[in-house]
């Protein structure tokens, strides 16, 4: 009996649930607060830039020949007669309700336009980052392992060309060679004119929708149209990912634990992939996430060259037409993508790095 009492006394007491749950809840609240502050700053900056730009949204609606009374009526209807802070508060309230206003070009809600054009950019950028990662990571690892060899030199030249060449020039040359001369790929647009609106739009991703509909002709045509712009974006991503992978791997391969593993007789495959590459996964996650975000918002020139109806070309067209509601809505969506991808990379960072747990 005495032994039992002594055992109970030595047994460590379990911490209350509130003490274990509070740190987690605190981190969640801090993350949500950081997101809210970042979004608020993004909304304020984009709103102010939209208001101070030398573009008159009233003239874009009524035209230059409208009377002064018509101009004043539309000016008040848009709320431009109110102080800037009051205008921002109204705009913030509308955005919180997912209302980005009405497009001046087509009189449709901007949120509907973004929902229509964003899947095209998402599909293009996703294929681009897949190409870039599948080719860039092995190329960077191989270049680091074979430092100074011809493989390393080729990888460095590819990365340099990818950084240096303007993507609009590569796009024009790609269309000229692979579409105009060789005829290996489809031309501008997402599909040929005979396949427009053939399959029902379920996800907005033409490749996925054609598979869901079982229409292989549309799938083949859509793939022939997307392969060239996606490859160009993938090459741009490959240049960045391979360069950063090579840099990370060179740092790890020169570490003492790698030398120790080789002295112990471990195979080169295990040294490179099970030890060195394992320790750069966290850094690669951040690199890939940033590269993906850049493809989602930075494919404007690619979309214009290939007549791709994505969010980049949508924002550009709206900006040239003084449609500031569409410009601000698209800019907010792009900024939100950056924030979400950063949060996602932070979550993966905590999963793969035990020190962050």
């Amino acid at each position: 009996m005495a032994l039992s009492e002594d055992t109970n006394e030595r047994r460590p007491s379990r911490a209350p649930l509130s003490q274990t749950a509070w740190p987690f809840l605190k981190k969640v609240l801090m993350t949500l607060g950081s997101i809210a502050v970042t979004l608020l700053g993004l909304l304020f900056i984009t709103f102010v830039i939209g208001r101070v730009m030398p573009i008159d949204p009233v003239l874009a609606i009524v035209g230059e020949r409208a009377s002064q009374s018509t101009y004043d009526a539309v000016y008040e209807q848009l709320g431009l007669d109110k102080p800037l802070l009051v205008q921002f508060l109204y705009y913030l309230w509308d955005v919180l309700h997912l209302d980005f206003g009405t497009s001046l070009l087509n009189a449709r809600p901007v949120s509907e336009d973004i929902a229509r054009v964003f899947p095209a950019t998402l599909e293009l950028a996703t294929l681009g980052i897949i190409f870039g990662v599948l080719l860039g990571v092995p190329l960077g690892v191989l270049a680091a392992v074979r430092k100074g060899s011809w493989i390393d030199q080729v990888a460095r030249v590819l990365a340099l060309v990818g950084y240096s060449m303007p993507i609009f020039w590569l796009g024009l040359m790609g269309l000229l060679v692979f579409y105009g001369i060789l005829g290996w790929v489809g031309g501008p647009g997402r599909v040929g004119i005979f396949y427009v609106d053939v399959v029902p739009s379920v996800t907005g991703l033409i490749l996925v929708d054609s598979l869901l509909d079982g229409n292989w002709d549309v799938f083949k045509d859509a793939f022939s149209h997307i392969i060239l712009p996606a490859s160009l974006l993938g090459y741009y991503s490959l240049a960045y990912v391979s360069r950063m992978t090579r840099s990370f791997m060179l740092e790890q391969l020169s570490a003492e634990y790698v030398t120790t593993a080789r002295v112990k007789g471990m195979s080169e495959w295990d040294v490179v992939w099970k030890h060195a590459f394992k320790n750069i996964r966290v850094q690669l996650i951040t690199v890939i996430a940033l590269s993906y975000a850049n493809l989602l918002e930075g494919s404007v020139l690619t979309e214009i060259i290939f007549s791709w109806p994505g969010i980049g070309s949508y924002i550009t067209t709206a900006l040239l037409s003084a449609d500031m509601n569409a410009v601000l809505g698209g800019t907010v969506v792009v900024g939100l993508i950056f924030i979400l991808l950063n949060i996602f990379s932070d979550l993966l960072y905590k999963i793969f790095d035990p020190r962050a747990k």
Side-chain angles (χ1 to χ4, degrees):
M1 185 68 178
L3 181 61
S4 177
E5 293 177 356
D6 182 66
T7 303
N8 292 334
E9 291 177 358
R10 294 181 180 179
R11 182 179 301 169
S13 58
R14 180 176 298 177
L17 181 61
S18 59
Q19 295 182 5
T20 58
W22 170 245
F24 175 75
L25 182 61
K26 183 179 179 180
K27 291 182 180 179
V28 172
L29 292 177
M30 290 180 62
T31 302
L32 293 177
S34 176
I35 295 173
V37 172
T38 305
L39 279 177
L40 183 63
L42 173 66
L43 288 172
F44 181 75
I45 293 174
T46 53
F47 179 81
V48 171
I49 292 176
R51 287 295 184 267
V52 301
M53 287 185 64
I55 296 177
D56 193 341
V58 179
L59 289 179
I61 297 176
V62 301
E64 297 181 355
R65 298 183 178 181
S67 62
Q68 186 63 36
S69 59
T70 303
Y71 181 93
D72 294 337
V74 175
Y75 188 85
E76 294 180 3
Q77 183 179 0
L78 295 177
L80 299 177
D81 58 324
K82 297 179 175 59
L84 186 62
L85 181 59
V86 176
Q87 295 181 41
F88 174 70
L89 292 177
Y90 281 133
Y91 179 73
L92 179 62
W93 177 258
D94 292 336
V95 170
L96 292 177
H97 292 80
L98 299 180
D99 181 11
F100 296 103
T102 303
S103 173
L104 304 181
L105 292 177
N106 51 31
R108 288 199 302 259
V110 174
S111 57
E112 294 183 3
D113 285 344
I114 294 176
R116 174 177 52 84
V117 300
F118 181 70
T121 299
L122 179 64
E123 188 173 39
L124 182 63
T126 302
L127 281 181
I129 195 65
I130 290 175
F131 292 159
V133 172
L134 291 181
L135 298 177
V137 172
L139 182 61
V141 172
L142 191 60
V145 174
R146 300 288 186 264
K147 181 183 178 182
S149 65
W150 67 270
I151 297 177
D152 185 24
Q153 299 299 329
V154 170
R156 295 171 66 180
V157 169
L158 287 176
L160 179 62
V161 172
Y163 270 106
S164 305
M165 287 292 182
I167 196 167
F168 70 87
W169 185 84
L170 290 176
L172 292 175
M173 292 300 101
L175 279 175
L176 175 63
V177 175
F178 296 105
Y179 170 65
I181 299 177
L182 299 177
W184 289 355
V185 299
R190 300 184 74 184
V191 290
I193 189 172
F194 297 106
Y195 295 105
V196 175
D197 297 330
V198 171
V199 296
S201 179
V202 179
T203 63
L205 310 175
I206 188 65
L207 295 177
V208 177
D209 291 340
S210 59
L211 288 177
L212 293 177
D213 192 59
N215 196 322
W216 289 101
D217 292 334
V218 175
F219 178 83
K220 293 177 181 178
D221 186 77
F223 186 79
S224 70
H225 280 76
I226 198 175
I227 185 64
L228 182 57
S231 298
L232 290 177
L233 291 179
Y235 178 49
Y236 178 78
S237 176
L238 179 148
Y240 178 58
V241 172
S242 64
R243 176 173 173 270
M244 298 306 297
T245 303
R246 178 183 180 275
S247 177
F248 296 152
M249 285 295 296
L250 286 176
E251 181 181 359
Q252 294 299 321
L253 291 175
S254 62
E256 293 183 357
Y257 75 91
V258 173
T259 304
T260 303
R262 286 171 173 166
V263 170
K264 290 182 177 180
M266 186 173 295
S267 65
E268 189 68 13
W269 177 271
D270 291 340
V271 171
V272 172
W273 293 103
K274 293 185 179 181
H275 288 273
F277 183 76
K278 183 179 180 181
N279 288 331
I280 71 168
R281 291 182 304 178
V282 175
Q283 296 167 299
L284 274 184
I285 287 172
T286 303
V287 169
I288 293 172
L290 292 177
S291 180
Y292 188 39
N294 287 329
L295 293 187
L296 285 172
E297 63 87 21
S299 57
V300 177
L301 294 176
T302 305
E303 291 182 357
I304 293 176
I305 292 171
F306 290 91
S307 299
W308 199 263
I311 193 169
S313 59
Y314 175 75
I315 294 176
T316 303
T317 303
L319 183 61
L320 295 176
S321 305
D323 190 355
M324 296 311 300
N325 287 338
V327 173
L328 293 178
T331 305
V332 169
V333 170
V334 170
L336 181 61
I337 291 171
F338 262 96
I339 295 174
L340 294 179
L341 285 176
N342 282 327
I343 295 174
F344 181 68
S345 62
D346 288 341
L347 293 176
L348 292 180
Y349 178 90
K350 294 178 181 178
I351 293 174
F352 288 108
D353 191 350
R355 297 171 298 180
K357 295 181 180 180

